[in-house]
Amino acid sequence: MAPEPHRLERARRPLPRSPFVVLGVAALFLFASCGTGSDESTSTITSTSTPSSESSSSESSTSTGLDTDLFFDGALAEEPTTEDCTLSDGTETTCYSITVAGYPSDHEVGPFCPETITDDADAGGIWLDGENVYDLDGQFIEDLAETYGDSTWKMYDEDGNVLVTETQEEFEAAARPDVDPDLQNHCVEGKLEWLENGEPIQTTVLIPTTPVAAAEPSSTQAILGVTLDGVRIDASAPVDAILSAYTIAAFDDCGGHFNPFEGYHLHGAVGCSEVDEVADGDTAQFGYALDGYPVHSPYAEGEAPDDLDECNGHTTEADGYHYHANSAAENLVIACLVGQTVQSDDAGGGPPPNG
Ligand SMILES: [Zn+2]
Ligand SMILES: [Zn+2]
């Protein structure tokens, strides 16, 4: 199994560079493990505190939808446009077409994997496995067998050099569901120059200009949203598959990494791409969810207010309805979406194809 089957991570791209890539990915995904997140969509709805019911008490709610001006310079590959769109329950409305550049506009990506088992945390990024978030330093690599209770782990050579994917071929072979056995015990990292054409992969999403509440929250989206610096926020990384192949699909210190198909994308919110302005008692916005509501950084542990709903959202006077990202450790940036997303799955908003 592979670091990044990413079966659930398809999105329409404005200019697909090669149909073979898309077809190849689809074929590979047939063998990929089940995506994460979908089991949550069956959760029963006991909360009635949807944004609409909450905001109805406040005429001054600022939940007016996405503000395209909040995106950083260079975050969008094209000027946002509006077009007709159909939401998941059939509602006909207007959506922004947002094309993110696919590379953070405000910082370089990486580092991902440390080079030696004596490297400190500055030399690597982070790893998150659904329970914990770790600094990806040399010690973490050295301790893998102990951390995961399996002596097969040994991701370094006799000189203490960490085994890292070193070529585009290795990167792609490690990102397949059937990881090349030679790439077991490798720290997997990609580079911009290993993407097709050596360029960031743009992603276009359709986001309702005004959020529309859904009958019940959903969590089957392949793309959960976009960051203000131009990166897609993806569903959970397939951590079980990654670990069962004795690989680590390293994230950088902003919680993102490359895969060959989607380019650079985010799995953990750790405070990057935040706006400057923060309301008292809240955290800063860093992105938008696919239903059009803002996404704010996680609260520090123990500081979350008790009004957060099952999707980790709440309505405040300053910011209207917005989500708070889960902690990066959880490997799921946004728990679920309370608003409707666009019906067509090639806009990134629909349920995954069967399987
Ligand atoms: Zn990923
Ligand atoms: Zn908040």
Side-chain angles (χ1 to χ4, degrees), residues 110-126 135-142 154-166 185-189 191 194 248 250-251:
F112 299 96
C113 300
E115 290 180 19
T116 75
I117 58 172
T118 56
D119 275 353
D120 65 18
D122 291 342
I126 58 174
D135 268 327
L136 206 38
D137 56 10
Q139 189 73 50
F140 174 81
I141 298 292
E142 195 172 9
K154 187 173 181 298
M155 200 172 277
Y156 55 96
D157 67 14
E158 61 270 25
D159 299 320
N161 296 307
V162 178
L163 304 176
V164 181
T165 48
E166 284 177 342
N185 273 311
H186 273 65
C187 187
V188 180
E189 65 175 32
K191 296 185 194 316
W194 293 345
I248 294 291
F251 306 94

Side-chain angles (χ1 to χ4, degrees), residues 282 299 314 322 324:
D282 216 286
Y299 278 104
H314 64 169
H322 59 276
H324 282 273

Side-chain angles (χ1 to χ4, degrees), residues 6-355:
H6 280 296
R7 187 185 53 156
L8 302 182
E9 301 191 20
R10 293 190 307 127
R12 185 184 67 178
R13 283 170 219 145
L15 297 167
R17 293 190 167 84
S18 161
F20 297 107
V21 172
V22 174
L23 291 170
V25 169
L28 287 171
F29 290 170
L30 292 174
F31 303 100
S33 66
C34 252
T36 49
S38 56
D39 51 345
E40 292 188 18
S41 63
T42 57
S43 62
T44 52
I45 306 311
T46 53
S47 165
T48 56
S49 55
T50 60
S52 55
S53 64
E54 284 194 5
S55 59
S56 61
S57 61
S58 163
E59 289 291 307
S60 64
S61 166
T62 53
S63 278
T64 52
L66 186 148
D67 178 358
T68 57
D69 290 340
L70 284 185
F71 287 97
F72 299 175
D73 286 348
L76 303 182
E78 298 166 12
E79 277 296 304
T81 56
T82 55
E83 58 184 76
D84 293 340
C85 56
T86 305
L87 304 184
S88 34
D89 79 340
T91 300
E92 307 271 347
T93 185
T94 304
C95 286
Y96 286 115
S97 175
I98 304 275
T99 300
V100 292
Y103 194 92
S105 62
D106 53 344
H107 62 91
E108 295 298 318
V109 305
F112 299 96
C113 300
E115 290 180 19
T116 75
I117 58 172
T118 56
D119 275 353
D120 65 18
D122 291 342
I126 58 174
W127 170 242
L128 46 96
D129 64 7
E131 293 181 11
N132 294 295
V133 57
Y134 307 87
D135 268 327
L136 206 38
D137 56 10
Q139 189 73 50
F140 174 81
I141 298 292
E142 195 172 9
D143 291 346
L144 273 170
E146 191 182 330
T147 301
Y148 288 117
D150 183 339
S151 60
T152 307
W153 287 99
K154 187 173 181 298
M155 200 172 277
Y156 55 96
D157 67 14
E158 61 270 25
D159 299 320
N161 296 307
V162 178
L163 304 176
V164 181
T165 48
E166 284 177 342
T167 64
Q168 180 175 351
E169 290 67 34
E170 285 190 351
F171 170 54
E172 289 175 355
R176 291 194 322 239
D178 55 331
V179 172
D180 185 333
D182 289 345
L183 293 171
Q184 287 194 355
N185 273 311
H186 273 65
C187 187
V188 180
E189 65 175 32
K191 296 185 194 316
L192 181 60
E193 59 258 42
W194 293 345
L195 300 181
E196 193 165 12
N197 298 328
E199 289 170 10
I201 297 175
Q202 300 170 4
T203 298
T204 299
V205 293
L206 293 176
I207 297 181
T209 52
T210 303
V212 179
E216 53 185 75
S218 64
S219 57
T220 54
Q221 289 81 5
I223 303 175
L224 302 175
V226 292
T227 65
L228 298 177
D229 64 353
V231 171
R232 45 188 285 163
I233 303 170
D234 276 40
S236 304
V239 163
D240 290 348
I242 293 165
L243 293 176
S244 67
Y246 299 99
T247 55
I248 294 291
F251 306 94
D252 66 12
D253 284 325
C254 280
H257 65 182
F258 288 104
N259 77 35
F261 322 112
E262 319 299 344
Y264 184 82
H265 57 279
L266 194 79
H267 287 293
V270 291
C272 296
S273 74
E274 290 179 331
V275 297
D276 293 331
E277 228 169 88
V278 188
D280 278 351
D282 216 286
T283 64
Q285 182 185 351
F286 69 93
Y288 277 105
L290 218 60
D291 59 3
Y293 288 114
V295 187
H296 288 226
S297 284
Y299 278 104
E301 197 166 341
E303 287 180 14
D306 55 15
D307 65 346
L308 294 177
D309 63 22
E310 65 181 294
C311 296
N312 240 19
H314 64 169
T315 302
T316 64
E317 201 162 319
D319 297 308
Y321 184 84
H322 59 276
Y323 300 106
H324 282 273
N326 289 312
S327 77
E330 292 186 46
N331 180 29
L332 182 59
V333 176
I334 308 170
C336 48
L337 301 181
V338 299
Q340 296 182 45
T341 54
V342 172
Q343 209 167 47
S344 159
D345 76 1
D346 66 9
N354 71 58

